[in-house]
């Protein structure tokens, strides 16, 4: 009897225990379902990111390991081609995402600008009304003497916006029809990259570039040969850099180049020039193994970046504008933090680097060993190589970042589709010869044309869509042309040569 009672008690405890466990399991499953449903999007995004990371690691390993694969593993031409195509598509997707972010930023900027303009307009009305009332009470009807701090602020705002509107109204009507204004957001923080308070710079966007037909102005811009030329985003300011160690600034006024000032500080010749998107700062590379950073209002550099062991051939702003990428003859590409004026990464690029272009994470370099290399700056790894027939002299990205232009010493300009790197188009012309190891070729601001200077002193312009030579501009240079620049408005082209001459071209 006692044994039966104990057995029944144990059975009862087991049943109660199992019931309790089942209850706990049901509660845990219910909590799991509710929490999983809330974070389902995050979980799916994480899984997708994990898959892409694995795919990227496989692609990189396949490309970099192709040269050292054991002989027992057969290599496949089709597999390598597929890997390169996939890599190009992934790079294009990265660029597409960056462009979407930029468009969203632009939309936010436009909304902020509209709200700001409405606020300024209201303040102007209030200030004007208060000023008129004060003047009426004092018997003084002159509106040019503000009598309150608020009216002074209104006048300051009016002057700053008036300068912007005067700049727009001074543009040719034909250009106004093909340009829309964008506003660059101000950068906060106290550093060498800080924009002036309340400064918004209009950026022109060229919809239709005009092919120049004639030279409208020429001058000897430097004491020695000119190596680099670049327009600012406003299209009415030009910078030239020469072997005479200086950068000169030029205002374009009524079809002429008027000297605005000189930027000193380099110990040797300038090799490249880059404006930041606001058009208020300049970055340059130099033969003295450094890159230099100026504000336009300063004649001496704000920052000097030193660390390369040989000449710096290219210096470009990264996507963030607080970082700089430099390429050098010492076979390295370096990434710099402008705020700290310090190198934060060095990439061994295997060969003399003649030029670089970059986005947020992608760096593309051109080399003396006749190759273009694509680098993931996060991992300092080469993801792709594109062969050239001659020494690479320059690179340029199409405005939509879908095509890459290269110039090489075999007298060929090559267009690489970044979505499918195997798709390449070559541009040639009778008489065109690449004059030096640093000759620069560029896109027009709308991406429809290519321009490059030749050793025969002529400027050659090709049509991207047809592949044909669109225009040859001769007889103004007596020395090989080293670089050309096309204004963002699409109205002007400037060419510079090794004998210190600069020529302004237009179709007007």
């Amino acid at each position: 009897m006692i044994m039966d009672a104990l057995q029944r008690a144990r059975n009862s405890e087991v049943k109660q225990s199992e019931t309790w466990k089942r209850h706990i399991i049901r509660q845990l499953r219910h909590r799991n379902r509710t929490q999983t449903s809330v974070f389902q999007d995050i979980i799916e995004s994480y899984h997708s990111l994990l898959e892409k990371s694995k795919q990227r690691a496989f692609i990189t390993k396949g490309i970099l390991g192709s040269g050292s694969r054991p002989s027992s593993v057969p290599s496949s031409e089709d597999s390598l081609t597929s890997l390169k195509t996939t890599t190009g598509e992934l790079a294009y997707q990265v660029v597409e995402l960056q462009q979407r972010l930029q468009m969203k930023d632009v939309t936010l900027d436009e909304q902020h600008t509209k709200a700001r303009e409405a606020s300024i307009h209201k303040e102007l009305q209030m200030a004007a009304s208060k000023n008129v009332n004060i003047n009426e009470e004092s018997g003084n009807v002159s509106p040019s003497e503000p009598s309150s701090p608020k009216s002074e602020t209104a006048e300051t705002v009016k002057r700053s916006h008036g300068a912007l509107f005067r700049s727009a109204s001074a543009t040719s009507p034909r250009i106004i029809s093909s340009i829309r204004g964008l506003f660059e957001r101000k950068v906060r923080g106290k550093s060498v990259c800080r924009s002036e308070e309340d400064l918004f710079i209009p950026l022109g966007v060229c919809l239709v570039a005009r092919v120049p037909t004639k030279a409208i102005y020429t001058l000897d811009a430097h004491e020695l040969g000119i190596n680099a030329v670049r327009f600012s985003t406003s299209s009415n300011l030009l910078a030239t850099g020469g072997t005479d160690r200086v950068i000169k600034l030029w205002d374009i006024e009524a079809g002429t180049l008027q000297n605005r000032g000189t930027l000193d500080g380099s110990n040797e010749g300038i090799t490249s020039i880059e404006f930041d998107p606001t058009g208020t700062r300049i970055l340059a590379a130099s033969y003295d193994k450094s890159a230099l950073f100026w504000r336009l209002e300063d004649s001496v550099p704000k920052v000097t970046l030193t660390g390369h062991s040989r000449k710096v051939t290219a210096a470009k702003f990264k996507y963030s504008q607080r970082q700089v990428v430099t390429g050098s003859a010492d076979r390295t590409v370096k990434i710099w933090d402008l705020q700290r004026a310090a190198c934060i990464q060095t990439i061994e690029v295997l060969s003399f680097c003649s030029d670089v272009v970059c986005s947020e994470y992608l760096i593309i370099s051109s080399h003396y060993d006749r190759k273009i290399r694509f680098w993931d700056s996060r991992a300092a790894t080469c993801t792709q190589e594109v062969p050239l027939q001659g020494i690479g002299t320059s690179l340029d990205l199409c405005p939509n970042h879908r095509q890459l232009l290269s110039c090489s010493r075999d007298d060929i300009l090559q267009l690489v589709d970044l979505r499918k790197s195997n798709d390449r188009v070559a541009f040639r012309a009778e008489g065109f010869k690449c004059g030096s190891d640093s000759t620069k070729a560029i896109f027009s601001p709308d991406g429809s044309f290519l321009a490059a200077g030749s050793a025969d002193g002529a400027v050659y312009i090709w049509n991207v869509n047809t592949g044909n030579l669109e225009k040859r501009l001769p007889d103004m240079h007596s020395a090989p042309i080293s670089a050309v620049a096309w204004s963002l408005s699409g109205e002007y082209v400037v060419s510079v040569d090794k004998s210190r001459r600069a020529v302004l071209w237009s179709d007007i």
Side-chain angles (χ1 to χ4, degrees), residues 144-362:
S144 61
E145 298 179 2
S147 54
S148 70
K150 191 170 184 179
S151 62
E152 290 177 3
T153 302
E155 289 299 322
T156 302
V157 172
K158 185 184 290 184
R159 283 196 299 272
S160 63
H161 281 68
L164 189 154
F165 296 137
R166 285 195 300 274
S167 175
S169 62
T171 309
S172 168
R174 291 174 60 186
I175 299 300
I176 291 177
S177 64
S178 64
I179 296 177
R180 69 178 184 270
L182 299 178
F183 290 88
E184 183 73 16
R185 285 189 300 176
K186 63 183 180 181
V187 180
R188 301 184 184 276
K190 296 181 179 180
S191 71
V192 296
C193 299
R194 180 181 59 85
S195 297
E196 285 71 13
E197 190 68 13
D198 295 332
L199 179 63
F200 287 80
I201 304 296
L203 300 181
V205 177
C206 178
L207 301 181
V208 180
R210 293 150 53 178
V211 177
T213 57
K214 60 184 178 180
I216 60 174
Y217 193 75
T218 63
L219 83 160
D220 290 337
H222 286 255
E223 296 179 1
L224 298 173
I226 307 173
N227 301 321
V229 60
R230 185 74 67 171
F231 276 97
S232 74
T233 52
S234 64
S235 297
N236 58 7
L237 177 62
L238 183 77
T240 56
T243 309
D244 55 1
R245 308 179 181 184
V246 300
I247 292 176
K248 290 192 176 182
L249 303 176
W250 309 89
D251 286 318
I252 299 180
E253 298 178 357
T256 64
L257 298 177
Q258 301 297 322
N259 186 260
R260 175 172 170 177
T262 300
L263 303 180
D264 299 301
S266 176
N267 296 317
E268 295 188 37
I270 302 296
T271 59
S272 79
I273 297 174
E274 177 95 338
F275 276 96
D276 79 326
T278 68
T280 61
R281 296 179 286 270
I282 284 183
L283 178 69
S286 171
Y287 279 99
D288 68 1
K289 308 174 188 178
S290 70
L292 304 100
F293 177 82
W294 287 268
R295 293 182 184 276
L296 291 189
E297 63 268 22
D298 301 328
S299 60
V300 295
K302 186 77 173 177
V303 174
T304 301
L305 306 174
T306 58
H308 284 288
S309 60
R310 296 182 64 184
K311 69 177 180 181
V312 180
T313 55
K316 302 291 176 64
F317 287 102
K318 280 198 75 178
Y319 179 78
S320 66
Q321 298 178 43
R322 297 188 179 185
Q323 293 182 354
V324 167
V325 175
T326 57
S328 171
D330 64 5
R331 301 185 179 187
T332 66
V333 165
K334 290 181 181 289
I335 303 175
W336 308 80
D337 185 334
L338 274 181
Q339 291 179 300
R340 295 184 290 140
C343 177
I344 59 177
Q345 188 176 15
T346 298
I347 304 174
E348 301 290 338
V349 293
L350 309 176
S351 176
F352 184 121
C353 178
S354 58
D355 201 4
V356 295
V357 292
C358 55
S359 60
E360 186 172 9
Y361 299 119
L362 179 66

Side-chain angles (χ1 to χ4, degrees), residues 337-411:
D337 185 334
L338 274 181
Q339 291 179 300
R340 295 184 290 140
C343 177
I344 59 177
Q345 188 176 15
T346 298
I347 304 174
E348 301 290 338
V349 293
L350 309 176
S351 176
F352 184 121
C353 178
S354 58
D355 201 4
V356 295
V357 292
C358 55
S359 60
E360 186 172 9
Y361 299 119
L362 179 66
I363 298 175
I364 308 174
S365 54
S366 179
H367 299 277
Y368 269 34
D369 65 356
R370 304 182 180 184
K371 289 182 180 179
I372 300 171
R373 293 184 171 91
F374 294 72
W375 304 89
D376 184 338
S377 61
R378 293 167 295 185
T381 56
C382 180
T383 60
Q384 188 178 356
E385 289 185 353
V386 175
L388 298 172
Q389 297 300 315
I391 294 173
T393 67
S394 74
L395 296 173
D396 193 28
L397 278 176
C398 185
N400 62 15
H401 284 203
R402 295 183 180 183
Q403 294 174 308
L404 175 72
L405 172 65
S406 71
C407 181
S408 54
R409 289 308 301 269
D410 59 350
D411 307 326

Side-chain angles (χ1 to χ4, degrees), residues 47-61:
H47 284 228
S48 176
L49 181 62
L50 189 61
E51 288 298 324
K52 289 182 179 179
S53 176
K54 291 180 179 178
Q55 185 181 22
R56 180 182 182 83
F58 170 74
I59 292 171
T60 303
K61 182 179 179 181

